[in-house]
Amino acid sequence: MNERLLCKCPNNIMAHKVVSILTNDDIVFRQHDETNDPRTGAYGPTPGIAIYVFEKDYEKAHMMIEPIVNSSTESIKPFCPKCGSEDTSRIEKNKFMIPLLILSIVLFIAPVAYFYFTKDLENHSMILDILAIIAFLSSIVMAFLCDRKTANYKCNGCGKKFNRI
Ligand SMILES: [Zn+2]
């Protein structure tokens, strides 16, 4: 009997789903993990877990696994790292973020440059020194705030903000 390639699963999770459906319906299949094949590139640039079925079962098997194959191409919604809820929504980036980030970089570099170029001068201006230190410290605070604001997802359940991993 002829075998036919039913599908190629990019990961174990999907392969497991396909296999359990086929097992439930008593469809004989053969699994071949191309990712474990020592011949690199033997299956093209994207090796996966190939699942073969007999030609006679192909139509039936294909119909049953189609929802899985299709759903895997949809983007998976991130879940909340705190409560595990999938009810999350995307946070639009704060439009002040980029100017704030640039300002923090300027405030970071300016005092460093100031101290670097004035280090050989005899009479430092006390006020400028203090301003430079304040600018330097505020740049660190701003950078910290920017970092905190980069969370791009929010949990609708518990309100936790997080980055999509
Ligand atoms: Zn949550």
Side-chain angles (χ1 to χ4, degrees):
M1 251 190 290
N2 284 332
E3 268 186 346
R4 192 164 166 188
L5 176 67
L6 178 66
C7 69
K8 209 188 238 193
C9 309
N11 53 52
N12 273 319
I13 301 158
M14 194 181 147
H16 184 78
K17 283 183 190 166
V18 171
V19 162
S20 59
I21 285 182
L22 296 179
T23 313
N24 275 346
D25 278 81
D26 291 323
I27 292 174
V28 182
F29 64 92
R30 184 170 66 85
Q31 215 183 136
H32 181 78
D33 191 350
E34 296 173 353
T35 55
N36 284 335
D37 201 296
R39 288 176 300 159
T40 321
Y43 300 97
T46 49
I49 298 154
I51 293 169
Y52 295 87
V53 290
F54 287 123
E55 187 85 53
K56 67 175 175 67
D57 295 326
Y58 180 82
E59 287 300 322
K60 191 184 171 195
H62 185 74
M63 246 168 58
M64 283 188 307
I65 65 144
E66 206 171 14
I68 300 173
V69 178
N70 288 339
S71 72
S72 74
T73 54
E74 280 170 28
S75 66
I76 303 148
K77 245 194 161 186
F79 59 88
C80 170
K82 196 178 170 190
C83 67
S85 165
E86 276 187 42
D87 184 17
T88 55
S89 52
R90 212 184 156 79
I91 305 169
E92 288 305 314
K93 281 271 179 217
N94 191 330
K95 60 182 172 182
F96 299 113
M97 266 295 286
I98 288 156
L100 197 67
L101 201 65
I102 293 167
L103 188 64
S104 82
I105 292 166
V106 170
L107 287 180
F108 184 82
I109 291 168
V112 172
Y114 166 74
F115 280 115
Y116 180 79
F117 288 114
T118 59
K119 68 179 190 304
D120 297 328
L121 292 179
E122 289 280 314
N123 48 347
H124 264 217
S125 159
M126 185 71 170
I127 292 161
L128 280 178
D129 281 5
I130 291 167
L131 282 176
I133 290 165
I134 290 169
F136 185 76
L137 290 177
S138 55
S139 80
I140 293 170
V141 173
M142 269 188 220
F144 181 72
L145 285 175
C146 285
D147 189 49
R148 288 290 298 268
K149 282 230 160 67
T150 52
N152 56 2
Y153 272 88
K154 182 175 172 283
C155 173
N156 295 326
C158 68
K160 169 135 181 98
K161 288 175 183 167
F162 59 97
N163 269 313
R164 185 180 178 164
I165 308 150

